Amino acid sequence: MGIEHRPAEVDERRFIGHWEGDAVIHGHKQSGLVILVERRSGYLLAARLPRLSAQLTQAAMIRLLKPRRGAVQTIPLDNGSEFAGHKAVAKAVTAMTYFCDPYCPGQRGSNESTNGLIRQYFPKGTDFRQVTDAELRKVVRKLNDRPRKRLGYRTPAQVFLGEYSGALDTAGAALIA
């Protein structure tokens, strides 16, 4: 389903539960990260992918979101083939998935902004097969604990965990695919 069908309330960022998904890629889909960012809080979940495939991406997304499924309503994705398993993800976490228009990264602005923050730690050319889970967890924790002006200088973790009591701590947010 196209992103134009996503509820208009999502744009207001008043409630948690609306995520944006993307892949940060090394080379020609040699390895990567699957990134999920909650729109209201900016809370980040990430998993390493030793290679990009729909099956690995689907499994990683389910592992990241399922413990927080009470805080997952919508997930817009880009049109990459790695998201071909979106229906299984949506079913596993009882959410709606949407696809953005081609070449319109602004339709997932929270995600694009977070990708830029991730690239501060893992610049283009980083082979994610060489990044350890501990390194990824450390970066995820740093970003989730980094105060944001748009949140009144609270951190994404403070906002997300404060509004969703069923979430896990930020240290457990990064998993291997």
Side-chain angles (χ1 to χ4, degrees):
M1 188 176 316
I3 196 165
E4 69 275 7
H5 298 289
R6 183 177 69 175
E9 72 183 30
V10 174
D11 294 332
E12 298 171 13
R13 296 180 193 243
R14 291 186 343 158
F15 304 104
I16 63 168
H18 303 288
W19 297 77
E20 295 179 359
D22 200 7
V24 176
I25 299 172
H26 164 246
H28 186 66
K29 299 192 175 191
Q30 295 167 342
S31 66
L33 303 174
V34 63
I35 303 297
L36 295 159
V37 181
E38 200 282 321
R39 284 181 52 83
R40 170 161 167 59
S41 63
Y43 191 75
L44 170 66
L45 302 174
R48 285 186 321 117
L49 300 170
R51 69 182 192 292
L52 258 65
S53 74
Q55 184 177 12
L56 291 176
T57 303
Q58 171 188 320
M61 289 177 69
I62 290 170
R63 277 198 311 273
L64 292 169
L65 291 172
K66 203 163 188 181
R68 301 157 181 87
R69 66 182 166 267
V72 182
Q73 295 176 36
T74 65
I75 313 168
L77 305 163
D78 72 15
N79 290 291
S81 61
E82 63 272 14
F83 295 113
H86 69 95
K87 288 181 182 177
V89 173
K91 184 176 180 181
V93 299
T94 317
M96 292 294 299
T97 54
Y98 301 91
F99 285 92
C100 296
D101 296 324
Y103 310 108
C104 293
Q107 292 177 335
R108 290 174 299 105
S110 296
N111 190 265
E112 291 299 321
S113 174
T114 303
N115 287 354
L117 296 174
I118 288 169
R119 287 295 189 190
Q120 292 175 0
Y121 297 93
F122 304 118
K124 284 194 181 279
T126 299
D127 183 347
F128 293 105
R129 295 172 294 194
Q130 305 302 316
V131 173
T132 67
D133 289 334
E135 290 170 318
L136 179 58
R137 277 193 304 272
K138 183 178 177 181
V139 169
V140 167
R141 190 176 311 112
K142 280 184 179 185
L143 293 176
N144 281 336
D145 290 340
R146 184 177 179 171
R148 308 284 170 85
K149 183 178 180 179
R150 76 172 181 88
L151 299 174
Y153 296 98
R154 292 178 298 161
T155 69
Q158 288 171 324
V159 173
F160 183 78
L161 297 173
E163 293 182 18
Y164 178 64
S165 61
L168 300 177
D169 68 359
T170 59
L175 303 171
I176 189 165

